[in-house]
Amino acid sequence: MTSSTSPATSGTLSYEQSGVNYDLIDPLKVSAQRAAAATAVHLAQHGFSEVKASRGESAYVVDVGPFYIASIVECLGSKALVADEMAALTGRSWYEGIAQDTIAMAVNDLITVGATPLVVQAYWAAGGSDWFGDAARAQALVAGWKRACEVCQVAWGGGETPALAGIVEAGRIDLAASCTGLINPKERLSVGERLAPGDAIVLLDSSGIHANGLSLARKLVERLPQGWLTEVQPGLSYGEALLAPTVLYSPVTEGLWQAGIVPHYCANITGHGWRKLLRHPGRFSYRIHTVPPVPPVLRFIQQHARQDDREAYSTLNMGAGFALFVAARDAERTVQIAQALGVGARVAGQVEAGEKQVLIEPLNIRFSDDDLQLR
Amino acid sequence: MTSSTSPATSGTLSYEQSGVNYDLIDPLKVSAQRAAAATAVHLAQHGFSEVKASRGESAYVVDVGPFYIASIVECLGSKALVADEMAALTGRSWYEGIAQDTIAMAVNDLITVGATPLVVQAYWAAGGSDWFGDAARAQALVAGWKRACEVCQVAWGGGETPALAGIVEAGRIDLAASCTGLINPKERLSVGERLAPGDAIVLLDSSGIHANGLSLARKLVERLPQGWLTEVQPGLSYGEALLAPTVLYSPVTEGLWQAGIVPHYCANITGHGWRKLLRHPGRFSYRIHTVPPVPPVLRFIQQHARQDDREAYSTLNMGAGFALFVAARDAERTVQIAQALGVGARVAGQVEAGEKQVLIEPLNIRFSDDDLQLR
């Protein structure tokens, strides 16, 4: 459970203007986090204990003796609404990609702590039984879910397919995934202890917006001359570009382990964009010397929402979907392993001693600790 | 992922008349189940394997060597809508109980396979940020969630609190819980191999409707003279009676283990009522000689929905929230252990060789294999 602050620059379309008011959610999150932390003692009744450092991380970790267990539940968010709009306009189902997005939300968070994802459960809550009556759409969801499980080498354990008329809106579906994995052997645990000045920052490419920033992207469509069908580049509509499925990064973290590389820290770059590089609780500076190319759909959003670089990089992934902090000697090999697995990657910067900040030198952007309050 | 058939008796209010059409959901479930089963092979890549018999059970089980891991995600369903109606009528928040219901949906399923629940994750998807702005309601949800974790001795790992305007209806919340547990030692695994003729059936009392059958219960309110405030007994309104929190049964299964009793099989009695006694895949007869007292709210629903006993017991729990199938010699001690933990219990019948059927002798009801198709 994370909280956020978003910059609101006058004249631009900011994330908060797109409809999510964190001032209302944050007090609940704080009290839920406190209550949750107080429940850790129960594990002792079973002879186990939590990994306390995982409480601020993207997945929760329990020490069960021979290895650690990590678990998580993650929501897709509002990307399915874009799929619904595009289905109405194109006659195609886009739910195969939506399934991948949903699994990516869970798996890409779970792997940050060093876990190998093992089991995914599906949570597909529809606004009524009739959602499942559109066979093409339902089968696309099933096919995409299965394929994402193949890519991540996880077992699809089962799930829930409730019809929730009165809670979920008619014709809509609330999608989420839970994921359980093992950190095995225990040396793979990655909750921050290893991070140190001199470490390299390797950024893995995103495929587009992934599944964060969709409220903003949906709000923006009102400003576009041809709405969802406005081209972001010749032959590629805004809607289709938004629906590029989120990259699944677990093959990369597994590939690194097989090559003997244990990341010193990982950050899944989701909401809050590059401010997520500040996720580690320690005091370090993150100096970025190289930024990845910006996917056309993200450049398009930045331009039409009239965001300056600082706001865009503080909200969207801007081409970097996942950050690996590795020993400097492992940096180039990390890039090679990712690329061999079909995931673009580059050595983007390094960790330094000093004030807690991200310095994106090519863009003259600085994010400080004040820009991200996750714990 | 389960499918169902419901009887539709003319003149009564059946479950299907209350708005859930399984004919639309079932084809999806079947293809999802097939696709999910095909993903089990991926576990071998990690040196593990699924417990195949768990595929038809209430939780999914993986063999990771020193023990088994069980995991699940479960939805509350529509009970929160009753809480919202009663909040409007009484000015009280009912979300403390709703939190317990949500955790019960996950925990009571997870324990059927012999697992000790360890970690619960919260999935609280609201129709907008403003849901969380009602501090009393939000804090009740947090308090109830924490308390249920205490009862079950699980750690609350974290969760998701998305604001999903456009997917979840304004003013509503879609609640679910995921749960991960261990079957440790491995002898506690309970996926059906041990069940045998001569075993006793111990039924644990429910507290009321629990969280299944609420669509029917909500539909029924239209027929009641004073709606939610109609009394089911002096001083107890229909709405309040419905909102009695679901019993958490994990203290009982843990207590049994500590006493050296390993159930031969378990069934969580949720949707499909007593037909869930047919859950085990084998060919056995389940002869019931004693039924528990029916909670007033369930008797009230049966009467006002004009259901005969057969329909009522095929839809609602009718006082039995959980079934333990134990060796005959352990039956009385099982009852004593449950009662010592504050959960009403009784030896209700026994398992016999023969046709697959449930015989509820005091009521002259028979359910056969045709009445429940879960796999």
Side-chain angles (χ1 to χ4, degrees):
Chain A
M1 281 165 288
T2 61
S3 62
S4 89
T5 54
S6 279
T9 309
S10 134
T12 69
L13 184 59
S14 74
Y15 194 71
E16 295 206 337
Q17 285 168 282
S18 67
V20 179
N21 183 347
Y22 285 102
D23 291 342
L24 293 176
I25 305 179
D26 286 350
L28 168 79
K29 286 188 174 172
V30 169
S31 70
Q33 283 165 350
R34 278 188 198 144
T39 62
V41 296
H42 303 145
L43 293 170
Q45 300 288 326
H46 311 292
F48 304 133
S49 60
E50 75 171 10
V51 173
K52 201 169 162 58
S54 74
R55 278 266 169 217
E57 298 300 321
S58 297
Y60 183 63
V61 182
V62 174
D63 186 345
V64 294
F67 32 63
Y68 299 105
I69 293 181
S71 63
I72 196 166
V73 66
E74 286 290 324
C75 175
L76 171 65
S78 64
K79 192 166 180 175
L81 294 175
V82 180
D84 293 344
E85 297 285 349
M86 286 298 288
L89 290 167
T90 66
R92 275 182 56 185
S93 173
W94 299 83
Y95 272 82
E96 195 157 336
I98 288 293
Q100 177 171 329
D101 285 309
T102 309
I103 290 185
M105 294 300 276
V107 163
N108 291 348
D109 264 2
L110 193 87
I111 60 175
T112 62
V113 294
T116 301
L118 286 186
V119 178
V120 162
Q121 303 278 355
Y123 183 74
W124 302 347
S129 324
D130 54 334
W131 197 95
F132 302 107
D134 178 340
R137 181 174 58 184
Q139 295 305 330
L141 182 58
V142 170
W145 200 273
K146 178 166 184 260
R147 202 186 152 276
C149 288
E150 286 163 8
V151 172
C152 299
Q153 294 284 296
V154 299
W156 177 1
E160 275 272 274
T161 56
L164 292 181
I167 295 177
V168 175
E169 297 217 12
R172 303 298 183 187
I173 191 160
D174 180 18
L175 295 170
S178 72
C179 187
T180 301
L182 291 189
I183 299 166
N184 178 32
K186 290 172 99 170
E187 302 94 271
R188 287 188 66 176
L189 181 68
S190 162
V191 289
E193 294 89 341
R194 285 193 183 86
L195 191 68
D199 284 349
I201 303 168
V202 173
L203 295 178
L204 304 181
D205 288 357
S206 72
S207 60
I209 197 169
H210 286 185
N212 288 95
L214 272 299
S215 296
L216 171 67
R218 290 187 301 112
K219 186 80 182 161
L220 186 64
V221 81
E222 298 164 12
R223 294 189 183 181
L224 303 180
Q226 290 160 284
W228 300 105
L229 299 181
T230 307
E231 291 191 335
V232 302
Q233 64 186 48
L236 180 64
S237 71
Y238 180 58
E240 181 167 2
L242 286 174
L243 289 167
T246 306
V247 177
L248 297 158
Y249 295 111
S250 68
V252 177
T253 49
E254 291 305 299
L256 290 177
W257 169 251
Q258 281 150 24
I261 297 174
V262 175
H264 291 183
Y265 194 64
C266 301
N268 186 20
I269 301 179
T270 53
H272 318 97
W274 285 45
R275 290 180 288 162
K276 277 279 168 71
L277 295 175
L278 290 164
R279 174 148 214 151
H280 188 282
R283 273 177 61 82
F284 296 108
S285 291
Y286 306 91
R287 187 178 300 273
I288 304 294
H289 54 64
T290 306
V291 296
V294 179
V297 70
L298 298 183
R299 186 63 80 202
F300 180 92
I301 290 171
Q302 179 185 6
Q303 286 166 351
H304 286 79
R306 291 185 206 140
Q307 296 186 339
D308 60 22
D309 281 340
R310 190 174 201 282
E311 173 135 22
Y313 279 78
S314 77
T315 309
L316 302 166
N317 70 59
M318 299 307 275
F322 198 89
L324 293 160
F325 302 79
V326 298
R329 68 175 178 281
D330 292 330
E332 283 301 337
R333 210 150 50 96
T334 296
V335 169
Q336 287 158 15
I337 288 164
Q339 287 177 340
L341 289 161
V343 177
R346 71 207 65 238
V347 182
Q350 68 270 346
V351 181
E352 298 178 357
E355 197 180 347
K356 185 161 185 169
Q357 58 184 344
V358 177
L359 298 166
I360 311 177
E361 293 188 331
L363 301 167
N364 201 23
I365 296 172
R366 174 179 177 272
F367 295 127
S368 74
D369 202 15
D370 297 338
D371 294 313
L372 185 74
Q373 300 297 335
L374 288 176
R375 294 165 198 255
Chain B
M1 280 167 288
T2 59
S3 62
S4 89
T5 54
S6 279
T9 309
S10 135
T12 69
L13 183 60
S14 74
Y15 194 72
E16 294 207 338
Q17 285 169 283
S18 66
V20 178
N21 182 346
Y22 286 102
D23 291 342
L24 292 176
I25 304 180
D26 286 350
L28 169 80
K29 286 189 174 170
V30 169
S31 69
Q33 283 163 350
R34 278 187 198 146
T39 63
V41 295
H42 303 146
L43 293 170
Q45 299 288 325
H46 311 292
F48 304 133
S49 59
E50 75 171 12
V51 172
K52 201 169 163 60
S54 74
R55 279 264 170 218
E57 298 300 322
S58 297
Y60 183 63
V61 183
V62 174
D63 186 345
V64 295
F67 31 63
Y68 299 105
I69 292 181
S71 63
I72 194 166
V73 66
E74 285 292 324
C75 177
L76 170 65
S78 65
K79 192 166 180 174
L81 294 174
V82 180
D84 293 343
E85 297 285 349
M86 285 299 287
L89 290 167
T90 66
R92 273 184 57 187
S93 174
W94 300 82
Y95 272 82
E96 196 156 336
I98 288 293
Q100 177 171 329
D101 286 309
T102 308
I103 290 185
M105 294 300 277
V107 163
N108 290 348
D109 264 2
L110 193 86
I111 60 175
T112 62
V113 294
T116 301
L118 287 187
V119 178
V120 162
Q121 304 279 354
Y123 183 75
W124 302 347
S129 323
D130 55 333
W131 197 95
F132 301 107
D134 178 338
R137 180 175 59 184
Q139 295 305 331
L141 182 58
V142 170
W145 201 273
K146 179 167 183 260
R147 204 188 149 276
C149 289
E150 285 162 9
V151 172
C152 299
Q153 294 285 296
V154 299
W156 176 1
E160 276 270 274
T161 55
L164 291 182
I167 294 177
V168 175
E169 297 216 10
R172 302 298 185 189
I173 192 160
D174 180 18
L175 295 169
S178 72
C179 188
T180 301
L182 291 189
I183 299 165
N184 177 34
K186 291 173 99 171
E187 303 92 271
R188 287 188 66 175
L189 181 69
S190 162
V191 289
E193 293 89 340
R194 287 191 182 87
L195 192 69
D199 285 348
I201 302 169
V202 174
L203 295 178
L204 303 182
D205 287 357
S206 71
S207 59
I209 197 169
H210 286 183
N212 288 94
L214 272 298
S215 295
L216 170 67
R218 290 188 300 115
K219 186 80 182 162
L220 186 64
V221 82
E222 297 163 12
R223 295 189 183 181
L224 302 180
Q226 292 161 284
W228 300 104
L229 299 181
T230 307
E231 290 191 336
V232 302
Q233 65 186 44
L236 180 65
S237 70
Y238 180 58
E240 182 166 2
L242 286 174
L243 288 167
T246 307
V247 178
L248 297 159
Y249 294 112
S250 67
V252 177
T253 49
E254 290 305 299
L256 291 177
W257 169 251
Q258 282 150 23
I261 297 174
V262 175
H264 291 184
Y265 194 64
C266 301
N268 187 20
I269 301 179
T270 54
H272 318 97
W274 286 45
R275 290 180 288 161
K276 275 279 167 71
L277 295 174
L278 290 165
R279 175 148 211 151
H280 189 282
R283 272 179 62 83
F284 297 108
S285 291
Y286 305 92
R287 187 177 301 272
I288 304 294
H289 53 67
T290 306
V291 297
V294 179
V297 69
L298 297 182
R299 186 65 79 204
F300 181 92
I301 290 171
Q302 179 186 6
Q303 286 166 349
H304 286 79
R306 290 183 206 142
Q307 296 186 341
D308 60 21
D309 282 339
R310 189 174 200 282
E311 173 135 23
Y313 278 78
S314 77
T315 308
L316 302 166
N317 71 59
M318 298 308 274
F322 199 89
L324 292 159
F325 302 79
V326 298
R329 67 175 178 281
D330 292 329
E332 283 301 338
R333 211 151 49 96
T334 296
V335 169
Q336 288 158 14
I337 288 165
Q339 287 176 342
L341 289 161
V343 177
R346 71 207 66 238
V347 181
Q350 68 271 344
V351 181
E352 297 178 354
E355 196 179 349
K356 184 161 186 169
Q357 58 184 346
V358 176
L359 298 165
I360 311 176
E361 293 187 331
L363 301 167
N364 202 22
I365 295 172
R366 175 180 177 272
F367 296 126
S368 75
D369 201 15
D370 297 339
D371 293 313
L372 186 73
Q373 299 297 333
L374 288 176
R375 296 164 198 255

